[in-house]
Amino acid sequence: MKADDQKRLLREMIFYRRFEERSFEAYMERKIGGFLHLYSGQEAVATGVLEMARCGHDYVITGYRDHVHALKAGAPPREVMAELYGKVTGSSRGRGGSMHIFDPSVNFMGGYALVGQPFPLAAGLALAAKHKGTDQIAICFLGDGANNQGTFHETLNMASLWKLPVLFVCENNLYAIGTRIDRSSAVIDQYKRVGAYNIPSSQHDGQDIDVVMAAARTAIDHVRGGSGPYFIEFMTYRQRGHSMSDSNAYRSKEEERQWAERDPIKIYGDRLKKARILTDKDIADLEKSVLDEIENEVVRFAEESPEPRVEDLNKYCLDDQPNPQWIGPLVQGDQHG
Amino acid sequence: MADMAYWEAIRRAHDEELAHDRMVIAMGEDIGVAGGTYKATSGLYQKYGAERIIDTPISENSYTGIGIGASMAGVRPIIEIMSINFALLALDTLINAAAKIRYMSGGRASCPIVMRTPGGTAHQLAAQHSARLARMFMSTPGLRVVTPRGPLDAYGMLKSAVRCNDPVIIIEHESMYNMRGEVPDEESFRPLEGAEIVRAGTDVTLIGYNYSVHLCLAAADKLASMGLSAEVLDLRALRPIDRDTIRRSVEKTHKVVIAEEDEAAVGVGAEIISVIIEECFFALDAQPVRVHAADVPVPYNRLLEKAAIPNADDVLAAALKVLGRV
């Protein structure tokens, strides 16, 4: 990988971290409501996998911890932030919020609150790609907790049976909300659960973006090559709680400290410094430019954007401009049978 | 005009829509090689192939979800669920995903799926094959729910549902697949909205949907033989409900009976009476009456099943009651 790309990747991860932390601040100021699930600590997974995909072309779908996946897929940051603010300029016009970022213009097909629901939706996107005869693939990011849903088993079975071009990315952050994996899954290594469905799978470090990219390259080549689905598990850790109301009472400070040492931004930054691609000052400059961009271009846009109009409450429930040929009105006296 | 069975009408709609648009696919249990439990997809596997007529495993929630995901990317799936009882397994992807995706994406994504499923009691299929459940779907914003009462609507509404950009639930009926009726020879469509005055009358309005329309028609015949004129209204669509046609009929007859095969609580009849009260309370000359199933899981025994489910005589008795003839 070229040095410019390495610098870009580091900046992207710093940007995503700052985006999440800035969201947290806005949440504390009550500018963002509802639930807010932050991705801090897991950046290398979405960034690394999607770096190897064709963003804008491939379909990407995930759960409710969705901001960074949307951003890397190509959703404009200002629109994602505006969505968190509930503004009409947001990715989902203020109707979805943090957990439901959508940007079909770049084939980011949504964040979903139902753990396990994106499995079949992703397989369906893959089925559509296959049916249309394109070389698109669908990439489904979910946490380890989702694997205890029936949709995991049902979908893996059908995806394998029908050789659908779908990549399942398991972000194993060790906790299903507040329940540790050894207390919720009879099998700890999630990639081993997939063998029953005749799908190749592997497990990797999710904190080192170079490892993530190498593993994703293999998996994506497999899927795009027409060999059917692939399941890839990355071991990672969320630095913040499950959501804002999380006391983190279920895990130890020592465990948090150990994972903080394996911060993906730190790992990659240190590597680029060691390779003399970047200096400490370069990284400080990157951080400064990210701060400026998020404050002046992203947050300002969200703050200054208008709210949705209350008169538009019922909009988007059904097709707002349906073809009367399919809908009606019915002509009375036209009946038969 | 061709005289055809309800299942043949559904099959014809599939065939025409599959031929019209390569993005149309069908998926469900046993619909392909086996030809469909109710024959509604028979022969289509041979004609359109395994890629478009997809036999699924018994995994209702996820194959529905796969259909929904495909629909978000331009495919138009017709999803068959073998019995509405099994549709309960698919409620997560249907109600939490298909019904909400357009809204929660601010109109940027849509899920143009069709789900076909038979509700209703047939012949001693017992509690887990006899649910009706229309009320569950009709209460969900983001869905369209239609209930074709005969071959014409079964054909024309399925065709409209495939073309429509919203998720459409078509509730068929186990006991109607062999019912016959006229369908035009030329291609045609039937709208997904609008209640229909199936039989005009002046003394009482009998409201039904799906199978219960036929109970209303049979009751109307008996009333006619007694010199009483019943208007029979087929709701056709349970979501959205055609409030205007209901109001106009009630303003004409001033008396209403609602026949539903389902249990009464939080049901179709309850909703229709609310609509009538909101639209035209002062047009009523008598208290509306619901004809509905007994408040029990459907029993297996023939006599018990018969006692649990309303019939035309029950509708007749209710009509005579609102007409003050008992």
Side-chain angles (χ1 to χ4, degrees), chain A residues 23-317:
Chain A
S23 305
F24 175 81
E25 291 164 27
Y27 189 89
M28 299 315 279
E29 294 166 16
R30 295 175 182 261
K31 289 178 173 169
I32 295 173
F35 290 136
L36 183 70
H37 307 85
L38 301 179
Y39 195 64
S40 300
Q42 301 183 208
E43 291 89 348
V45 180
T47 313
V49 171
L50 293 180
E51 180 68 16
M52 295 294 106
R54 293 189 210 156
C55 291
H57 179 68
D58 293 333
Y59 294 107
V60 178
I61 191 166
T62 187
Y64 44 78
R65 200 179 304 282
D66 59 350
H67 314 159
V68 172
H69 305 82
L71 293 171
K72 180 64 180 170
R78 48 168 39 196
E79 292 181 15
V80 178
M81 186 62 83
E83 187 59 33
L84 305 190
Y85 274 67
K87 298 298 182 70
V88 75
T89 53
S91 306
S92 304
R93 315 304 183 226
R95 268 67 170 185
S98 163
M99 295 180 282
H100 309 302
I101 306 292
F102 281 80
D103 193 343
S105 73
V106 294
N107 285 345
F108 181 74
M109 304 310 283
Y112 297 83
L114 276 296
V115 169
Q117 195 174 68
F119 285 126
L121 299 182
L125 294 165
L127 185 139
K130 190 175 181 188
H131 187 67
K132 290 190 278 190
T134 70
D135 69 347
Q136 291 164 292
I137 67 169
I139 304 176
C140 175
F141 290 90
L142 282 173
D144 47 292
N147 300 346
N148 295 318
Q149 284 279 342
T151 48
F152 169 80
H153 301 278
E154 293 181 348
T155 303
L156 290 181
N157 180 49
M158 285 182 273
S160 180
L161 189 63
W162 300 334
K163 283 208 178 318
L164 299 179
V166 52
L167 170 62
F168 299 104
V169 179
C170 175
E171 302 194 50
N172 187 345
N173 63 18
L174 305 177
Y175 291 89
I177 309 182
T179 301
R180 204 183 148 84
I181 191 161
D182 56 316
R183 299 180 63 237
S184 64
S185 179
V187 177
I188 305 296
D189 293 321
Q190 296 300 299
Y191 77 102
K192 291 181 182 168
R193 301 176 77 176
V194 179
Y197 300 106
N198 198 21
I199 293 174
S201 64
S202 54
Q203 183 189 58
H204 311 271
D205 178 13
Q207 301 307 87
D208 183 335
I209 194 169
D210 284 327
V211 173
V212 172
M213 288 191 290
R217 176 84 280 150
T218 303
I220 287 172
D221 286 349
H222 171 92
V223 174
R224 206 184 303 280
S227 302
Y230 196 103
F231 183 97
I232 190 164
E233 176 183 12
F234 291 110
M235 304 308 295
T236 186
Y237 200 77
R238 57 171 155 71
Q239 294 179 351
R240 292 214 172 257
H242 167 75
S243 71
M244 292 299 97
S245 55
D246 188 341
S247 64
N248 269 332
Y250 49 83
R251 60 189 200 183
S252 69
K253 292 287 167 235
E254 175 57 20
E255 180 182 290
E256 291 183 21
R257 192 192 60 73
Q258 285 174 5
W259 279 93
E261 283 177 13
R262 302 218 65 246
D263 183 304
I265 296 173
K266 182 172 176 293
I267 289 173
Y268 200 51
D270 287 349
R271 183 170 303 145
L272 298 193
K273 279 192 286 184
K274 203 170 171 187
R276 298 181 186 283
I277 291 167
L278 288 171
T279 63
D280 280 326
K281 180 174 180 308
D282 293 334
I283 292 178
D285 289 345
L286 275 185
E287 285 169 349
K288 167 121 192 4
S289 83
V290 162
L291 272 176
D292 285 348
E293 184 183 343
I294 287 187
E295 219 48 47
N296 297 322
E297 291 178 34
V298 176
V299 173
R300 179 178 293 171
F301 176 79
E303 301 251 356
E304 292 175 355
S305 286
E307 305 273 358
R309 301 188 316 162
V310 173
E311 307 90 275
D312 289 336
L313 175 66
N314 295 319
K315 214 172 164 183
Y316 309 132
C317 200

Side-chain angles (χ1 to χ4, degrees), chain B residues 146-199:
Chain B
V146 299
T147 53
R149 74 170 186 279
L152 179 75
D153 267 351
Y155 162 75
M157 289 177 114
L158 174 52
K159 285 181 64 73
S160 295
V162 171
R163 307 275 180 115
C164 168
N165 293 324
D166 301 314
V168 182
I169 313 305
I170 303 181
I171 300 177
E172 299 165 0
H173 195 289
E174 300 253 2
S175 296
M176 289 204 297
Y177 285 109
N178 289 316
M179 185 176 282
R180 302 193 75 83
E182 299 266 293
V183 179
D185 293 326
E186 65 277 13
E187 180 181 49
S188 59
F189 297 86
R190 293 279 289 166
L192 298 170
E193 293 185 10
E196 182 174 355
I197 304 300
V198 182
R199 172 177 176 144

Side-chain angles (χ1 to χ4, degrees), chain B residues 206 211-220 259 261 291 310-313 315-316:
Chain B
L206 309 179
Y211 190 72
S212 71
V213 177
H214 301 284
L215 304 183
C216 293
L217 286 168
E261 198 185 321
V291 177
N311 58 37
D313 286 340
V315 180
L316 176 66

Side-chain angles (χ1 to χ4, degrees), chain B residues 200-239:
Chain B
T202 52
D203 296 331
V204 59
T205 298
L206 309 179
I207 299 179
Y209 61 97
N210 194 291
Y211 190 72
S212 71
V213 177
H214 301 284
L215 304 183
C216 293
L217 286 168
D221 281 343
K222 291 184 184 178
L223 287 166
S225 71
M226 300 162 75
L228 295 163
S229 165
E231 176 147 301
V232 176
L233 186 152
D234 176 4
L235 291 170
R236 292 182 73 255
L238 298 182
R239 185 171 194 95

